[in-house]
Amino acid sequence: MYVPPLPGGAGGRDDAPAGEQPRVYQVWRGSNEFFLQGRFIFGPDVRSVFLTMFLIIAPVVTFCVFVARHLMNDFPDSWGISVMVVVVVFTVYDLTLLLCTSGRDPGIIPRNTHPPEPESIDGVNDSGGQTPQQFRLPRTKEVIVNGISVRVKYCDTCMLYRPPRCSHCSICNNCVERFDHHCPWVGQCIGLRNYRFFYMFVFSTMLLCLYVFAFCWVYVIKIRNAEQLSIWKALTKTPASIVLIIYCFLCVWFVGGLSVFHLYLMSTNQTTYENFRYRYDRRDNPYNRGILNNFLEIFCTAIPPSKNNFRARVTVEQGLQQTRSQCRSFMSPNMGKPIGDLEMGRKPVAWDEPRTAADIRDLEAGLEGMFDEKEGRIAHASPDLSRDELSAEFVEGRAGMHSRQSSWAQRATGEMEAMAVQMATARGS
């Protein structure tokens, strides 16, 4: 699931104290950004959250200064103060929902440290059974959901079969439960654990726009009645109201349309991803439980706890298990095929290309640590052990199966140990 940092600080962040295992968020394989030592998790486009905050705060401040301040004395019994109080409280509530949406785990499924157990043998070696057999994992599996067969896919990145309604986000590089979409405005995936807050944020933003829009017109009408002007001349008396009216009108079309669309999705218990890909109007929706129960599922059920403890220490067992898993002899459903998450628009890559680069870095780091001696680094003293040559030979060796790669590494390690002993003997003599 997680890998401890390699020697020399490689593979993790260097903010862990010496002698201690790093925390999960420090070696996280996804593209997420963490704040307050793993207490908040954001997507890689977290900067867009500040833009969204600015688009909310700036018009509210303009409204308070140029509109609400003038309305405070125009209502009897000090009711004018409530105009400003309500907009300030509503804005704080809206920003809180934004942070609840973008700063929490959306439902990330932890990655496996090794592939699941293969269910069928793809082929048997004809070398007398001296090497492990090679297995091929099926690309998809069938599971039953509410009496309807649903096909789930294997994720090569996370090495797991995705649960129903789960998808891999190519932006955050995580598998997310009940994946809806990746929202660039909140800089986070929208999934099982933050969809409720996302809809409440969008809906409250729409109400905030309508509130500012309405009271800007109230202020314009009061100017018209007080000075006996036409509505157009009254508008010229308050340019700030003109800007806010236009701004809120445009925003209401966006957040209002989004609110209505997600209202439809919730009533039919669909996600945005399912609506665009599967089109349940042409087939049975196994998740539809009726309009009332669908809304109760979204708003009245307990949010499941996160499956990730980002502040926990990475255990030694997890690192050893990861090392052992690299030597297993298995075949991915996409071994030898250019693959990619076409559902999320990822660029196709070879199945074992990312693993090849990681294995090269692991082997290089291990060899450097092996030949560290008090007199100096023997690995860098020998021209035959340069990184360029090692990487080239290793990549060529990776054209076969994982068993071939592991045997090559053992043979290379044995040769280098023998070479080190010979050099030490020659130096002693």
Side-chain angles (χ1 to χ4, degrees), residues 52 56 94 185 199 201-210 247-262:
T52 304
I56 295 173
D94 197 41
W185 295 100
Y199 183 78
F201 164 69
V202 173
F203 187 75
S204 62
T205 304
M206 180 191 68
L207 295 180
L208 183 61
C209 290
L210 292 175
Y247 179 81
C248 291
F249 178 80
L250 296 176
C251 289
V252 163
W253 279 103
F254 175 70
V255 294
L258 199 59
S259 298
V260 173
F261 174 66
H262 280 278

Side-chain angles (χ1 to χ4, degrees), residues 154-168:
Y154 180 80
C155 179
D156 299 282
T157 302
C158 302
M159 291 191 292
L160 53 82
Y161 282 98
R162 303 169 188 165
R165 315 195 84 176
C166 172
S167 184
H168 191 93

